[in-house]
């Protein structure tokens, strides 16, 4: 069977985007890594939030081999998208005013912590209010979003602002509005989204930068090892015991 030209075009598009964020967002990635390292060194905690498919990149850095043990998922029931029926309810919840405040008020997040908010469009009420409320509580907010949406769409929040307007640090994924990299004759809708690939890469690059900054200060980064390698469980048990007061995905 011959190779797929469209599959190859998608890889080319994704690689191009990864090269752009590597080159154009390097300073912001370094700043985000430093902010995380500061929080870890000062006794703070790390949180990540994303709604819909943006939640995938948040989940990708929580409780995983090679990741920082202190990264916790700030969960909002129903907004992951595929965990409720109908799935469209998740999209509707992103537009509900006041939900972010309720989530933060009932979470362990506090002043001195870092919250990464992932939202491709950054235009819905939930991520905008999450950033506004988190900063008011004294958290450092890192936004991972496509700045293009702020130029080409209208905000759905009453303030008329976007996620990027309420962050200490912004990582721009460079994803075009619509999140579809390919078009083709005979196919009416654009297809092949790359936001998950790029956003996850931004998150992992930031984790690497944080580990680097900690090592530079002589602090052993609290990393998890794979449970499928010899000694992995023992290593993780030690890390989780040492940092148990800052890890919220286990009790």
């Amino acid at each position: 069977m011959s190779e797929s030209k469209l599959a190859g075009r998608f890889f080319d598009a994704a690689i191009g985007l990864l090269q752009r964020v590597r080159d154009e967002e390097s300073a912001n990635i370094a700043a985000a890594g430093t902010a995380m390292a500061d929080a870890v060194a000062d006794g703070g905690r790390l949180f990540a939030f994303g709604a819909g498919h943006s939640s995938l990149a948040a989940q990708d850095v929580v409780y995983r081999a090679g990741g920082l043990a202190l990264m916790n998922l700030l969960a909002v029931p129903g907004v992951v998208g595929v965990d409720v029926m109908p799935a469209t309810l998740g999209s509707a919840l992103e537009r509900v005013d006041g939900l972010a405040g309720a989530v933060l008020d009932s979470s362990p997040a506090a002043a001195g912590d870092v919250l990464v908010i992932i939202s491709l469009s950054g235009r819905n009420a939930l991520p905008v209010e999450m950033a506004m409320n988190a900063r008011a509580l004294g958290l450092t907010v890192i936004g991972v979003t496509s700045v293009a949406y702020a130029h080409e769409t209208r905000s759905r929040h009453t303030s008329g602002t976007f996620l990027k307007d309420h962050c200490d640090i912004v990582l721009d994924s460079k994803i075009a509005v619509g999140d579809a990299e390919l078009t083709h004759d005979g196919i009416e809708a654009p297809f092949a989204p790359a936001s998950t690939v790029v956003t996850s890469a931004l998150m992992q690059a930031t984790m690497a930068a944080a580990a680097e900054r900690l090592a530079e200060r002589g602090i052993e980064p609290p990393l998890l090892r794979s449970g499928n390698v010899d000694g992995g469980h023992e290593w993780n048990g030690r890390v989780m015991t040492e940092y148990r007061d800052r890890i919220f995905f286990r009790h």
Side-chain angles (χ1 to χ4, degrees), residues 50-61 80 82 118 196 199-200 203:
H53 285 93
S54 291
S55 71
L56 296 174
Q59 295 176 60
D60 191 45
V61 294
V80 172
V82 296
I118 306 169
T196 303
T199 303
S200 289
M203 292 296 293

Side-chain angles (χ1 to χ4, degrees), residues 21-22 25-34 169-171 201-202 205-206 209-210:
V21 296
R22 179 195 63 189
E25 296 300 304
S26 59
N28 293 328
I29 292 168
T34 299
I169 302 164
V170 174
L171 304 181
L202 279 168
T206 301

Side-chain angles (χ1 to χ4, degrees), residues 104-120:
L104 282 170
D105 288 346
S106 60
S107 80
D113 295 343
V114 172
L115 172 60
V116 183
I117 301 176
I118 306 169
S119 174
L120 178 62

Side-chain angles (χ1 to χ4, degrees), residues 45-245:
R45 294 81 57 83
L46 308 176
F47 296 88
F49 164 77
H53 285 93
S54 291
S55 71
L56 296 174
Q59 295 176 60
D60 191 45
V61 294
V62 176
Y63 185 53
R64 68 161 304 149
L68 291 172
L70 304 192
M71 180 58 76
N72 301 277
L73 186 67
L74 185 64
V76 181
V79 305
V80 172
V82 296
D83 65 338
V84 293
M85 291 291 287
T88 50
L89 176 60
S91 298
L93 288 173
E94 288 187 65
R95 304 175 190 181
V96 174
D97 294 333
L99 180 57
V103 169
L104 282 170
D105 288 346
S106 60
S107 80
D113 295 343
V114 172
L115 172 60
V116 183
I117 301 176
I118 306 169
S119 174
L120 178 62
S121 73
R123 67 189 298 223
N124 289 312
L126 184 55
V128 172
E129 291 184 357
M130 188 76 74
M132 295 172 69
N133 291 357
R135 290 182 86 186
L137 290 172
L139 279 77
T140 296
V141 176
I142 300 169
V144 185
T145 187
S146 170
V147 174
Y149 278 84
H151 300 304
E152 300 177 36
T153 70
R154 295 179 61 184
S155 171
R156 289 185 175 133
H157 187 251
T158 54
S159 67
T161 60
F162 287 76
L163 168 62
K164 74 174 187 64
D165 300 316
H166 305 284
C167 298
D168 297 286
I169 302 164
V170 174
L171 304 181
D172 183 3
S173 64
K174 317 294 182 182
I175 299 294
V177 173
D179 192 17
E181 294 300 316
L182 302 182
T183 58
H184 189 66
D185 291 342
I187 302 177
E188 292 191 18
F191 55 101
S195 61
T196 303
V197 173
V198 177
T199 303
S200 289
L202 279 168
M203 292 296 293
Q204 294 298 348
T206 301
M207 299 297 107
E212 180 181 19
R213 294 293 179 264
L214 288 167
E216 289 172 350
R217 303 178 194 186
I219 300 172
E220 178 66 29
L223 296 168
L224 296 173
R225 290 181 181 266
S226 171
N228 295 314
V229 299
D230 292 342
H233 285 298
E234 292 76 14
W235 173 281
N236 293 342
R238 177 182 62 79
V239 171
M240 288 189 177
T241 297
E242 182 177 351
Y243 291 95
R244 60 184 177 273
D245 60 330

